[in-house]
Amino acid sequence: MTDVIRVDPAHPDAAALAHAADCLRRGGLVAFPTETVYGLGVHALDRAAVRRLFEAKGRPANDPLIVHVDAVERIHTLVSAVPDVVAALSARFWPGPLTLVLPRSPHVPDEVTAGLHTVGVRVPAHPVARALLGAAGIPVAAPSANLFSRPSPTRASHVLDDLAGRIDLVIDGGATDVGVESTVLDLSGDVPTILRPGAVSREMLRAVLPRVEQRSAAASSSGAMPSPGMLERHYSPRAPLTVYDGDAVARLVRDACAAIAEGHRIGIMAADEDRAALSDVERHGSRAAIAAGHRIGIMAADEDRAALSDVERHGSRATIVYLGSERDLATVASHLYAALRELDASGVDRILVRSFPGSEGLAVAIQDRLRRAGVKPVA
Ligand code: TXA
Ligand code: MG
């Protein structure tokens, strides 16, 4: 049985959190909202509980966990060295969506770090996470609260879809704000390196760090895993998803038409600029597919509404998800995983996505997640 407690995300009830904190201290598995995604918390120093967490998620043991604390002072018992830059980084970005990878202390169990000599630590900003960590008074290891290889949960209902009956408690604090997981910054080597892009962008980090490397996409798709857990295909909807770079929209359109002709039920996620290019799919593809009885899913930007209204009118069996304006990537990011889950649940057998362009800020994180959710990136 998994209990669910609803709390006000801005002012969570102290008694409810005391109960959840007690559950954590006793080795329970408690899902809670952070500003990025829902985490599945466990007492970070309780090996048996950590092993139960890996079992509940179906997560491979070589994928290390991030340890959450409520203040920077609390990382000292978890790490064996604190580089000078941590003071500036924590002053600027904590509490917030930044994880620092640091040399580990021997107190941290191997189960948490996957046997690495480093540990990831983070001070989350969400009022519920902060209050829970404060009440628990222990370091809390928390991966995203999804089954392994499913999209991270941004609502309590996503957690229950994946983990109901497998964990003790879900604290429902509504939808999360950022929608993609924290930036993971490795400070254990010579040059600070972003292992996973997130809302704290490379440009923001450069304001504090003279040099920041970004682990390159090319390196990560070469087969060699630069760090355990950095699995290339990770955030996967059940329907195969193909990501097309911004300049490959013509190929998206061709592939979409071909897939429809082959009888596939397709979904498309588009941006405003694609309207003209997609009119072909709409005229010959989607409407024809709907007329032929196919159930299609479409993921689109707010700007695509007018262009897609035809599809909506003609096709009660079409699934269209609007992510938001392409000029508002914070909104797009916050809706991304929910949209993948929704399209997936709607029964489409193929999702075609145009990436949201940009080489800075959240665009990098969105592209990273889409690329990792996709089977085939198309050049
Ligand atoms: O926003 C987030 O970071 C969320 C919330 C709950 O805090 N947590 C999250 O955890 O995304 P998880 O377990 O789904 O992803 C953590 C990733 C690992 O898969 C791994 O890639 C990286 O962080 N990581 C953790 N510890 C590491 C370490 N010692 N060295 C390298 N990478 C590490
Ligand atoms: Mg995860």
Side-chain angles (χ1 to χ4, degrees):
M1 257 301 284
T2 300
D3 286 334
V4 180
I5 313 179
R6 280 197 75 122
V7 297
D8 177 340
H11 306 285
D13 177 59
L17 290 183
H19 169 69
D22 195 49
C23 183
L24 277 175
R25 276 194 304 264
R26 293 163 187 259
L29 304 181
V30 177
F32 62 97
T34 80
E35 72 279 21
T36 57
V37 300
Y38 273 74
L40 179 57
V42 70
H43 190 324
L45 307 179
D46 181 338
R47 290 169 192 273
V50 173
R51 279 198 291 268
R52 282 198 296 278
L53 180 145
F54 274 83
E55 243 166 67
K57 272 187 60 102
R59 178 173 172 121
N62 70 348
D63 194 353
L65 305 181
I66 295 168
V67 181
H68 298 65
V69 290
D70 65 347
V72 62
E73 297 75 42
R74 304 235 187 190
I75 71 171
H76 293 279
T77 58
L78 304 168
V79 304
S80 62
V82 180
D84 291 344
V85 292
V86 169
L89 285 168
S90 64
R92 186 136 178 162
F93 299 113
W94 279 354
L98 176 67
T99 293
L100 300 179
V101 172
L102 295 166
R104 70 183 273 205
S105 127
H107 300 306
V108 181
D110 279 341
E111 282 83 353
V112 170
T113 65
L116 296 175
H117 65 282
T118 54
V119 61
V121 291
R122 158 163 131 81
V123 178
H126 196 294
V128 173
R130 286 171 68 70
L132 178 66
L133 291 167
I138 51 168
V140 172
S144 51
N146 52 283
L147 279 176
F148 177 67
S149 94
R150 292 275 293 149
S152 290
T154 53
R155 298 170 193 173
S157 62
H158 300 160
V159 178
L160 290 167
D161 286 345
D162 282 11
L163 297 172
R166 305 170 74 96
I167 62 176
D168 297 295
L169 184 63
V170 179
I171 306 176
D172 181 352
T176 63
D177 179 29
V178 179
V180 293
E181 306 84 345
S182 63
T183 304
V184 177
L185 180 68
D186 186 355
L187 295 176
S188 69
D190 293 337
V191 181
T193 302
I194 297 172
L195 301 179
R196 178 175 72 182
V200 174
S201 67
R202 191 181 184 181
E203 301 74 53
M204 289 159 76
L205 291 168
R206 280 212 177 111
V208 174
L209 296 171
R211 236 184 119 189
V212 191
E213 297 285 314
Q214 172 94 51
R215 190 188 58 115
S216 78
S220 66
S221 52
S222 70
M225 242 199 282
S227 93
M230 289 291 167
L231 298 178
E232 191 48 27
R233 182 153 189 229
H234 193 72
Y235 309 92
S236 305
R238 291 190 185 89
L241 182 150
T242 309
V243 182
Y244 295 77
D245 282 346
D247 57 1
V249 173
R251 277 190 71 178
L252 182 154
V253 171
R254 274 204 308 279
D255 290 356
C257 290
I260 291 162
E262 285 166 16
H264 288 290
R265 299 173 295 173
I266 65 156
I268 297 175
M269 183 166 110
D272 210 19
E273 289 72 18
D274 309 330
R275 204 174 281 191
L278 280 177
S279 65
D280 240 27
V281 180
E282 280 185 76
R283 266 200 313 279
H284 306 299
S286 300
R287 221 183 292 154
I290 292 159
H294 291 299
R295 293 154 52 204
I296 67 161
I298 296 178
M299 288 167 82
D302 280 351
E303 287 84 354
D304 305 325
R305 237 171 249 274
L308 289 175
S309 65
D310 233 29
V311 177
E312 272 184 295
R313 265 203 311 281
H314 288 84
S316 58
R317 302 177 80 185
T319 308
I320 302 176
V321 182
Y322 294 100
L323 295 176
S325 165
E326 62 171 356
R327 289 182 303 277
D328 178 9
L329 294 186
T331 298
V332 170
S334 73
H335 292 154
L336 193 64
Y337 287 142
L340 286 176
R341 282 176 178 264
E342 187 183 333
L343 271 187
D344 225 8
S346 75
V348 298
D349 61 24
R350 209 172 265 203
I351 302 172
L352 283 65
V353 181
R354 203 201 88 159
S355 66
F356 283 76
S359 58
E360 292 194 350
L362 266 174
V364 180
I366 292 169
Q367 285 158 27
D368 171 76
R369 302 313 190 272
L370 285 175
R371 191 172 48 74
R372 291 209 240 178
V375 183
K376 312 175 279 184
V378 173

